[in-house]
Amino acid sequence: MTSTTSDQRPAACRQTSSVCTSGAPAGVKAKKAAFERNPPPVKESVLLTFKGVDGWDVYNCSIPFTSCGRRYLFGRVERRDQWARSHVSLFEATGVDEWAKVAGFTDLDLEDPYVQTIGGELVVGGTFVTRHADGTVKSYLGRFYRGADPFSLKFFLDGPDRMKDIRLVEFPDGRVGVFTRPRGEDVRAKYGSEAVIGYFEAPSLDAISADAIEKAEAIDGILGKDEWGGCNQIYLRPDGKLLAAAHLSASGEPAANGQVRQIYCNAAFVFDPATRKASHVKIVATRRLYPACEPKVPHLDDCVFTSGFVFRDDGFVDVYTGVGDARQGRVTLPASVLPGP
């Protein structure tokens, strides 16, 4: 999440759409303040426990998923005093909110993992960091693997240089919707926001390329001036529209360490692939809804990086999220907190 971009303002990939001219959406900080004045009732709020990784933090995980009859999630594993030095491990559920590192799984050289099922295959994506000869960060990109299960994953796609938060979703006819996220000063100059979310469709996984991702058309009405954000998990609704679990972000006041606070909120919006329009952009949870824990650094004390939603049978939804680039949390809220129709 913030490791390779919070103190860098990289040039983003080119977009083909024109500059947005409609009214700017309400700012993230204003939405956050309104949300926290009247938050939804919280049924459960916990921090997940991870076994087999003593001395390491696990955060910014994928949502839980089932494969081979077992419940897993992928987690970003990193030492507290390191930046962009993480790997992704596979964890199996061993109790309520308790996960154990799976022996025999070869860790992936990624950050911030994500999962989706496309064409009957498990697709795993995340951020791959490239380095100079001296070990310092050179760049980063979205990298994807596919396979029948977590133990048969094979690399199949790299996204454009300096682009994170690329997310996929499958339609019933086999098409694949692709959400993109260019970010940087050229995006700010063109759109006003520091990042934009783009979208395009491909006939299959094999038809997705870095060039197609780079040329995706930007979606209007999600991010305001100097804000950034992106999609984290996409869900196909019965009406054919898409529900996007997302994060909305903005800079805040200086934190205890003197650095500008990075505000990240759990968010969601509805996207109509027929009209290419986003609607009902809203915050669904903020840092205050999760248990207290020390962030990786002080300026991430108001940061929750969305993993996604797990829908329950009791009318509630579990919102999974990274907390402060240090822990993984879960908050259970009424499903009505999510946007509609």
Side-chain angles (χ1 to χ4, degrees), residues 20-35:
C20 303
T21 57
S22 63
V28 169
K29 288 185 281 189
K31 286 181 179 179
K32 178 177 182 288
F35 175 89

Side-chain angles (χ1 to χ4, degrees), residues 116-123 146-148 168-176 203-206:
Q116 187 62 280
T117 301
I118 307 285
E121 289 187 291
L122 176 67
V123 174
R146 62 199 284 188
L168 313 178
V169 65
E170 184 181 33
F171 291 99
D173 62 2
R175 287 177 298 126
V176 181
S204 68
L205 281 179
D206 295 326

Side-chain angles (χ1 to χ4, degrees), residues 19-332:
V19 174
C20 303
T21 57
S22 63
V28 169
K29 288 185 281 189
K31 286 181 179 179
K32 178 177 182 288
F35 175 89
E36 292 181 338
R37 284 195 297 270
N38 186 30
V42 174
K43 183 180 178 70
E44 298 173 351
S45 179
V46 299
L47 295 174
L48 276 56
T49 299
F50 293 91
K51 296 182 175 181
V53 286
D54 291 347
W56 299 74
D57 292 330
V58 182
Y59 65 99
N60 292 7
C61 300
S62 74
I63 58 170
F65 65 96
T66 299
S67 180
C68 306
R70 297 178 180 272
R71 193 165 185 248
Y72 297 111
L73 61 70
F74 288 101
R76 175 175 176 170
V77 182
E78 189 172 59
R79 293 198 182 277
R80 182 65 61 94
D81 61 352
Q82 294 182 339
W83 286 104
R85 289 283 183 181
S86 57
H87 57 270
V88 165
S89 295
L90 180 67
F91 295 87
E92 182 178 356
T94 53
V96 178
D97 299 311
E98 179 183 277
W99 301 81
K101 189 176 187 298
V102 176
F105 176 80
T106 302
D107 292 338
L108 300 173
D109 189 8
L110 295 176
E111 298 178 352
D112 304 345
Y114 140 88
V115 296
Q116 187 62 280
T117 301
I118 307 285
E121 289 187 291
L122 176 67
V123 174
V124 180
T127 302
F128 176 73
V129 178
T130 60
R131 301 183 182 280
H132 295 287
D134 64 0
T136 58
V137 173
K138 178 181 180 181
S139 190
Y140 52 87
L141 49 79
R143 175 161 288 182
F144 292 84
Y145 298 81
R146 62 199 284 188
D149 55 55
F151 305 96
S152 60
L153 296 173
K154 302 293 185 184
F155 164 81
F156 78 96
L157 174 67
D158 275 344
D161 189 48
R162 293 186 178 270
M163 188 186 295
K164 298 184 177 185
D165 301 337
I166 303 166
R167 296 294 187 265
L168 313 178
V169 65
E170 184 181 33
F171 291 99
D173 62 2
R175 287 177 298 126
V176 181
V178 183
F179 287 84
T180 71
R181 198 227 58 182
R183 178 182 177 184
E185 291 304 326
D186 58 341
V187 169
R188 191 199 305 273
K190 188 172 184 179
Y191 299 99
S193 54
E194 187 176 318
V196 291
I197 296 172
Y199 178 80
F200 76 98
E201 292 174 5
S204 68
L205 281 179
D206 295 326
I208 302 172
S209 66
D211 184 61
I213 293 169
E214 192 174 32
K215 293 177 179 177
E217 184 175 353
I219 304 168
D220 194 7
I222 299 176
L223 297 164
K225 185 177 185 301
D226 296 330
E227 297 173 349
W228 67 98
C231 295
N232 299 82
Q233 190 76 32
I234 311 298
Y235 305 85
L236 178 65
R237 304 196 326 178
D239 62 2
K241 295 180 181 179
L242 302 174
L243 172 67
H247 59 280
L248 299 179
S249 311
S251 297
E253 298 300 317
N257 61 353
Q259 294 194 37
V260 174
R261 183 172 277 110
Q262 305 280 291
I263 299 170
Y264 278 69
C265 302
N266 300 145
F269 64 87
V270 175
F271 181 75
D272 187 341
T275 63
R276 306 296 172 98
K277 300 293 185 183
S279 63
H280 302 86
V281 181
K282 64 182 298 188
I283 289 172
V284 300
T286 64
R287 176 65 186 89
R288 291 188 185 182
L289 271 61
Y290 296 90
C293 65
E294 183 181 358
K296 190 178 188 78
V297 287
H299 62 278
L300 296 178
D301 62 1
D302 199 3
C303 171
V304 283
F305 185 71
T306 312
S307 295
F309 310 137
V310 173
F311 301 93
R312 299 162 49 128
D313 295 329
D314 59 0
F316 288 81
V317 60
D318 288 327
V319 182
Y320 283 84
T321 192
V323 181
D325 272 19
R327 299 291 299 273
Q328 182 74 11
R330 176 181 66 82
V331 65
T332 304

